[in-house]
Amino acid sequence: MRRFYLPTLLLMLLGLASGQTNPSYINAELQRLIQAGGQNYANTLLRQAPDQALCSIHRNKLPAEVLGPFIEEQRRSIKYPADGKLMGDWKQGEPIFNTLARGNCFSCHVGSPLNIGGNVGPSLEKYGQRGTSEAMQKYTYEVIYNTWAYFPCTVMYRFGHNGLLKPEEIAHVVAYLLDPASDFNTKPALKR
Amino acid sequence: MGRFWRLVGAAVLALFSLVVLAQEEDDPVKEAEKQKKQLLEQSGGILPSDLYVEQGEQLFKARRGPKNASLEACDFGRGPGKLEGVVGRLPRYFFDTRKVEDLDSRIRTCMIRLQGFQPQDIRRSDVVAIAFYIASLSNEQPVTVRPLMPQEKKLYELGEQLFYLRAGPRDMGCATCHVTYVGKRAGVLPYSDILKDKRAASHWPAFRYSNDQAWTMADRIRACYANLGMPAPDFYSEPIIALTLFMNTQARGARMDLPGFIR
């Protein structure tokens, strides 16, 4: 397992030493292999972003010297809704949270009264008990917008960063989670 | 008072049995066994996978294609026509094609070379049925895949790198779930432990009773990519063979359960 880890790391350090700042995981041979999978497949995989490359190189456990700059860069990518409101309309957040092809949040988190939750992510049951303070809204919004700013290389999608949800849509999901009137907080969560 | 405690006792017992039942359904292996038994009872002893095996045997032995030949001379690594246990030895390097091939791509190679089929005329459903037939002759045999040839070692390394590669709009990759979240559920099934659980790769090809589909490892890999919001690699392509080689090597020593019967 480990025998490929060291050479890639060394290669990367070498790359850094030669003034190359963007880390790369895909070498010429891996690129040729991926291209053999067909054009659509190659187009997606070969477009690997530098931060995705870092998580691949370090197998999702970033070393201390990489961690700081990584988190800083992820934080810089976060954008907010134009009207500045981080808590939108919980009724618009509900279908986003509960639809496979949109947020798909329920697949990994317990808490929804509409879908049985999974356990890949932490339980969000009665998330609204944490209150609606500005800090709580900001934290919730930012974790959904770019979870790697808080949990580097975790499995959760970076919804805002990767353009899967608009800032306003993320604010609706924040409301679904935090608004005391939201079904998420007034109705019992479905569990297995 | 006595009646009250009897009622409480009954309620506790009922709750306990519910918990036990729920636990049984949580284990996909036990759940599949239960479903298999049920299907066998309903059908009088025939599983849907038996029908694929039967169909595959007919396709394998029939004289077909422009060359009007059967596949009986196909070499899956133990010599022409020797089929017992071959699934546990694939993927491996073949000198005739100078390629590392898995079960699917080797069947395709023989359909092209022995029967004279053009690649575009090869039906996927035929390849799957033939894979089921060959798999049935490897049941309970061990997985012995060990990359030794330079070509095999190279492809194993690339398969491992591909396994850990994260990409796409959801930042996904195989290891993201099958290493980091082993045993956890997103949806119905818990993620299998591809690095440590030898059963994970040793039951392919398999019949999926939940959607009545016959799948080889290639179909499984392609479905994973689709679930991750990424385009899948083409059938018979090298990324599929590389990932299969990596996974089957982790399964070395397992006794194969073929064709598999899974959710």
Side-chain angles (χ1 to χ4, degrees), chain A residues 14-81:
Chain A
L14 227 106
L16 283 177
S18 65
Q20 180 192 333
T21 45
N22 274 354
S24 167
Y25 179 72
I26 301 171
N27 59 25
E29 276 176 323
L30 189 56
Q31 182 179 341
R32 195 203 50 75
L33 179 87
I34 290 167
Q35 276 163 343
Q39 189 146 35
N40 290 340
Y41 178 69
N43 280 350
T44 298
L45 269 72
L46 295 181
R47 216 176 284 151
Q48 191 190 45
D51 46 16
Q52 292 175 330
L54 276 176
C55 293
S56 308
I57 290 164
H58 299 291
R59 297 192 173 175
N60 302 327
K61 288 178 189 141
L62 298 182
E65 68 273 18
V66 177
L67 200 58
F70 183 92
I71 289 176
E72 263 174 50
E73 201 182 315
Q74 299 298 317
R75 288 201 63 80
R76 273 201 297 275
S77 86
I78 300 177
K79 295 186 176 56
Y80 302 91

Side-chain angles (χ1 to χ4, degrees), chain A residues 4 25 119 153 158 192, chain B residues 26 160-161 166 171 185:
Chain A
F4 308 116
Y25 179 72
N119 61 359
C153 303
R158 293 177 291 165
R192 239 170 113 90
Chain B
D26 255 7
E160 181 175 34
Q161 288 169 28
R166 298 188 69 168
D171 304 310
R185 279 181 300 100

Side-chain angles (χ1 to χ4, degrees), chain B residues 55-261:
Chain B
Q55 188 199 349
E57 182 172 6
Q58 283 171 17
L59 285 166
F60 188 83
K61 292 180 174 167
R63 296 158 78 87
R64 299 171 72 231
K67 291 188 183 172
N68 196 33
S70 82
L71 289 171
E72 283 159 310
C74 187
D75 181 358
F76 286 91
R78 302 192 70 183
K82 288 214 168 119
L83 300 180
E84 280 73 23
V86 294
V87 174
R89 296 156 177 254
L90 294 169
R92 54 165 286 161
Y93 180 76
F94 288 90
F95 287 96
D96 56 359
T97 53
R98 295 189 189 173
K99 279 181 186 158
V100 179
E101 294 180 280
D102 62 1
L103 181 59
D104 297 34
S105 55
R106 191 61 188 170
I107 292 169
R108 179 177 176 270
T109 291
C110 285
M111 289 176 84
I112 293 168
R113 296 199 160 199
L114 297 175
Q115 298 183 312
F117 280 110
Q118 293 295 315
Q120 68 273 17
D121 295 335
I122 292 174
R123 289 206 317 210
R124 177 66 195 158
S125 56
D126 289 355
V127 174
V128 172
I130 294 166
F132 267 66
Y133 166 60
I134 296 166
S136 73
L137 302 173
S138 289
N139 188 29
E140 304 203 328
Q141 300 276 326
V143 178
T144 60
V145 177
R146 186 191 295 268
L148 291 173
M149 299 285 293
Q151 296 85 347
E152 294 167 348
K153 285 183 176 169
K154 189 73 238 163
L155 203 65
Y156 175 92
E157 281 178 29
L158 291 172
E160 181 175 34
Q161 288 169 28
L162 192 53
F163 187 79
Y164 284 94
L165 185 150
R166 298 188 69 168
R170 298 184 189 172
D171 304 310
M172 285 290 178
C174 313
T176 321
C177 298
H178 288 288
V179 174
T180 316
Y181 293 98
V182 164
K184 301 274 189 177
R185 279 181 300 100
V188 189
L189 287 178
Y191 291 121
S192 60
D193 187 350
I194 283 167
L195 299 185
K196 295 197 191 102
D197 185 353
K198 293 183 187 300
R199 293 175 308 175
S202 60
H203 61 260
W204 296 98
F207 174 73
R208 304 191 67 204
Y209 63 81
S210 64
N211 55 6
D212 200 21
Q213 279 178 329
W215 274 16
T216 72
M217 182 61 103
D219 298 290
R220 176 64 269 179
I221 291 170
R222 284 168 51 90
C224 272
Y225 275 107
N227 291 346
L228 307 183
M230 285 194 245
D234 294 341
F235 278 116
Y236 319 110
S237 70
E238 267 189 285
I240 287 181
I241 299 169
L243 286 171
T244 306
L245 178 59
F246 175 67
M247 292 192 280
N248 286 6
T249 303
Q250 313 306 316
R252 186 168 62 231
R255 237 161 73 107
M256 286 181 290
D257 175 21
L258 292 176
F261 187 89

